[in-house]
Amino acid sequence: MTVTQVPQVGHTGGLAQRYARALYDLASEQGNLSDVLGEVKVLRAAIADSDDLRKFLADARMDIRQGRTVSNVLMSKLGFGDVLRRFVGVIADNRRLPDLASILDGVLALDSALRGEVVAEVRSAQPLTDTQRSQLQARLAEAGYSRVSMTERTDAALLGGMTVRIGSTLFDTSIAGRLTRLQNAMKGAA
């Protein structure tokens, strides 16, 4: 396993944080924060699980009307409440649908931070089982991260294993990471 400090750089970091804060504050003011957070998790999982949805959201050729129409249909189909439905409509109107996943991650990270938790972004080659999830929680607790909220993503490019990012710290046990380290070591020996 390799542990490295990696600077977090995102082209939409500040933008995503501002939108995330706006949604969080709106849901808090209206008294349905827990419902909205649940819907945010469901929407984030839907985006992570659907290649077609990610491609649609990333399409720069989409006009505002098209984005608004499809986002309304998606929100209705998934049965989301008025707050998230209107929020995603604003995101579509402002041509920020490519940033929607980052914004949703920002909402979840903000909620975790306000509860005193750290967010661990887990990327694995295969979806984690409940046993693997609990073992990972235990190992993170041993490493000093007792209050951890995990966001999980499946990434076949890892080939096997996983990466866990907590803040600027990256724990890499993936086969792809091992192959990269081996390749770099072989370059150094040549």
Side-chain angles (χ1 to χ4, degrees):
M1 173 174 67
T2 300
V3 178
T4 56
Q5 295 289 343
V6 180
Q8 289 186 309
V9 178
H11 69 285
T12 60
L15 173 88
Q17 290 172 356
R18 287 191 302 271
Y19 275 105
R21 184 60 173 198
L23 177 58
Y24 192 90
D25 290 346
L26 177 65
S28 292
E29 289 170 8
Q30 294 191 355
N32 56 358
L33 181 61
S34 62
D35 294 339
V36 171
L37 288 173
E39 292 174 353
V40 164
K41 289 176 184 175
V42 170
L43 181 56
R44 184 63 187 99
I47 293 170
D49 293 342
S50 173
D51 287 334
D52 291 336
L53 182 54
R54 283 193 306 275
K55 287 176 187 173
F56 169 76
L57 293 173
D59 189 358
R61 298 171 297 161
M62 179 179 23
D63 66 9
I64 291 173
R65 267 187 314 209
Q66 193 179 24
R68 178 64 112 138
T69 301
V70 172
S71 67
N72 283 338
V73 169
L74 177 65
M75 297 294 106
S76 295
K77 187 174 184 176
L78 293 174
F80 292 143
D82 190 49
V83 171
L84 189 60
R85 187 178 304 192
R86 286 184 300 139
F87 180 78
V88 173
V90 168
I91 298 294
D93 289 347
N94 292 342
R95 303 184 58 85
R96 298 292 184 203
L97 284 176
D99 302 320
L100 183 58
S102 296
I103 293 167
L104 298 174
D105 287 342
V107 171
L108 298 175
L110 177 62
D111 180 58
S112 293
L114 292 174
R115 285 193 326 247
E117 295 178 344
V118 293
V119 177
E121 180 184 324
V122 179
R123 288 180 34 223
S124 59
Q126 300 291 325
L128 296 178
T129 64
D130 290 336
T131 304
Q132 291 171 323
R133 200 171 289 114
S134 63
Q135 289 173 343
L136 179 58
Q137 288 272 0
R139 295 294 288 267
L140 289 172
E142 289 173 10
Y145 300 105
S146 58
R147 293 184 51 112
V148 175
S149 171
M150 294 193 307
T151 60
E152 301 175 24
R153 289 189 183 76
T154 304
D155 185 357
L158 295 176
L159 302 176
M162 70 178 67
T163 64
V164 179
R165 179 188 304 267
I166 300 176
S168 64
T169 304
L170 176 68
F171 300 93
D172 187 354
T173 63
S174 68
I175 293 174
R178 291 177 188 173
L179 290 173
T180 300
R181 289 188 297 278
L182 179 62
Q183 181 181 21
N184 290 338
M186 291 177 70
K187 284 181 184 176

